Amino acid sequence: MSDSVKIKSKLIIDQKYFDYFLIVISVILGLYLNWEILDITLFSFIIWQIIRPLSRKNLNVNAFFLLFLALILLFLKKGQWAEDVSFLAFCSLITVVIMAAIQTFSKGELSDK
Amino acid sequence: MKLQFWTKTKKLKYLGKYFLVLLLFALMFVYTGNMNFVSFEQQQLIDITFAQEKITSKIFESQTGQNNLELNNILLAKKDQCGRLFFGLRRVSVKESDSQIYSTKVLLQNDFNQTQELGTFKVREDGFVENYQINFCANFDSRDLLFVADQEKIDSNFQVSALEFYPLSVSRRDFTNLKATVEGNTDFNNIIFESGVNLESATSSLRFTRKVQSVGQIIIPDSDRISYVDLKLNFIGSGGVGNYFLDLKEVNENDGKFLLSPEHVAYFNFNKDSANKRLKISDDVYRIPLAANVQKGKKYFVGINNESVNFNPLNTLKIFYGADNKSGDIVSSFIGEKSTQKAGSLFIKVYGANYLFSDTSEILTGAKILDNGDGTGQYFYSQKGRFSDYLDLEKRSSTGDHSLDVYFDNVQSGISAKDTGDNFFTYKINTLYPIKQIHLSATQINRFYAGSLMQFSFDGKIWQDVKADAVNLSDDGNKRLAKSVDVSGNPKTVYVKFSSDKRISSSQLQLFGIKNFEVSAILNLK
């Protein structure tokens, strides 16, 4: 048990900087291809979600924070910003649903076995 | 054993993640595969072609931030030689233009440090060409001109275009008695529609999200001619491969819903590269030519469509709009017949064209009527390969609508028309003084187009063909129609009509057209 924890933590420590590097690469790729900030943010978020998935709880908090931020921006009459932030909130919510579906599927798979 | 298996599975899982990430990176390249990847050499070639285009169209440009422009070997003026110099001045800002008026001094100079000031001319930094003329007699032999702006501005430059020198065989004393030159100096700087959204407040944007989409706004023009449209645009990524079209379409209203007519009234195509080189007038603001005759007070849709662009959401175009509480306008996005509306207005300015009128006749854009000083005069008019060539048309065959039966073809830089029925277009040339001799010439668009028939008339009723034996080839290998005529009866107007030549077998394209239409005439000024 203790061996597996050691190996796991070693793997994570080794990967940490490589993962950050990949995020930097995704941002550079977006900038090179002259994408919009929103597209770069979304792409980097997807990459991050693949390599270090946020927990459902964190994603929920993130989605609600973005929704709240969109409301504030709407109140401040920053229409374009509000639109962009609500789009990110929408993407977060979609991710929450996908994660929930994966979790349900995995549980179902286990129970089937 | 169990531990080894765990480690292997875990490693595979981690590796799988990275494969997925790498796959995503690769997919992004494939997905954005319609990017117009241009090598450094190719880009250089494009830039050289563009520079060459400017030279052939006689556009001379100062370096950005520099306040002078020297043109060597541009004219041949001997000592005491009198003549007229025509030129257009334009000032453009790379960033945001200001409303300040700049003065530009014009000097004649030679290699021996002799200079003669010819005049000072004003130009606004609004991207429009101001046309000027100078009458002068040279104090020394000279071939060079120097243009000096009164102040340097780091992010702007000025252009000199349509530079022409007409030497005259008159002495300094007689020079002042000459009749004033008439020049068709059409004013394209009158705004006929403007939304209540200014550059600063146009912060929201609509981007193309689907194939074959049109984004634009309904306008009601306050004039019967449209010449330019200003829009605030931003290309995302490479902008996409293919051409965007700025469209002008008629709008029909049905049960409160707007329907766009399938026919274009006019269009202009552009891509990121051509727009940035030819149409950009300041940061994010593009001035796009749109030559059309419209009906005052009627509703038209002005918008951009992406039907000729390989759609890709990461390489696309954004059109800016803002809240416009005053007019209550809406910005519309059409996908087929379905439309979605957003409250607000585009940042949009639509310009008309005001012709110089003499009596009841219009003087065509850039046409010149000059006094030679010996009782004769000269008339010159030539097509410029610009949208104004279309606005100069007097008449098009009327099919009852304003669809593209005859249109300005910005691909061919000429006037094109559908080769259907009795389709034609006419120029009315008003020379102000009686014509003694006239020379007419025009080039057919290309060999894929139907042959064009040129006819002329001095009364608009009896037409004479430009005979086949006068057909020869132009520099670019296309057929050139030309004829010189000795004129009797002192007419002051000549009509020139172009239609499809039915004697020539049908073409690959159901189109006919002409470019480089030129008229020169000797006039009787006595």
Side-chain angles (χ1 to χ4, degrees), chain A residues 57-93:
Chain A
K57 189 186 162 194
N58 284 343
L59 277 170
N60 280 330
V61 172
N62 184 39
F64 280 108
F65 169 73
L66 288 171
L67 278 174
F68 184 66
L69 186 63
L71 269 175
I72 292 173
L73 288 167
L74 262 181
F75 182 71
L76 294 172
K77 292 185 176 173
K78 301 278 181 193
Q80 188 68 42
W81 282 93
E83 214 169 283
D84 289 353
V85 169
S86 11
F87 180 69
L88 285 176
F90 172 73
C91 291
S92 293
L93 285 171

Side-chain angles (χ1 to χ4, degrees), chain B residues 37 54 68 102-103 135 158 171 173 192 215 222 226 297 317 325 341 362 367 370 398 402 446-447 487 504:
Chain B
F37 280 114
K54 279 191 172 174
N68 64 62
Y102 292 83
S103 293
N135 299 331
F158 65 94
S171 65
R173 202 183 52 191
I192 60 168
V215 177
D222 187 22
I226 287 180
L317 179 64
N325 301 325
Q341 268 88 36
E362 295 173 356
L370 312 167
S398 61
H402 281 254
N446 65 37
R447 63 191 169 88
V487 183
I504 301 172

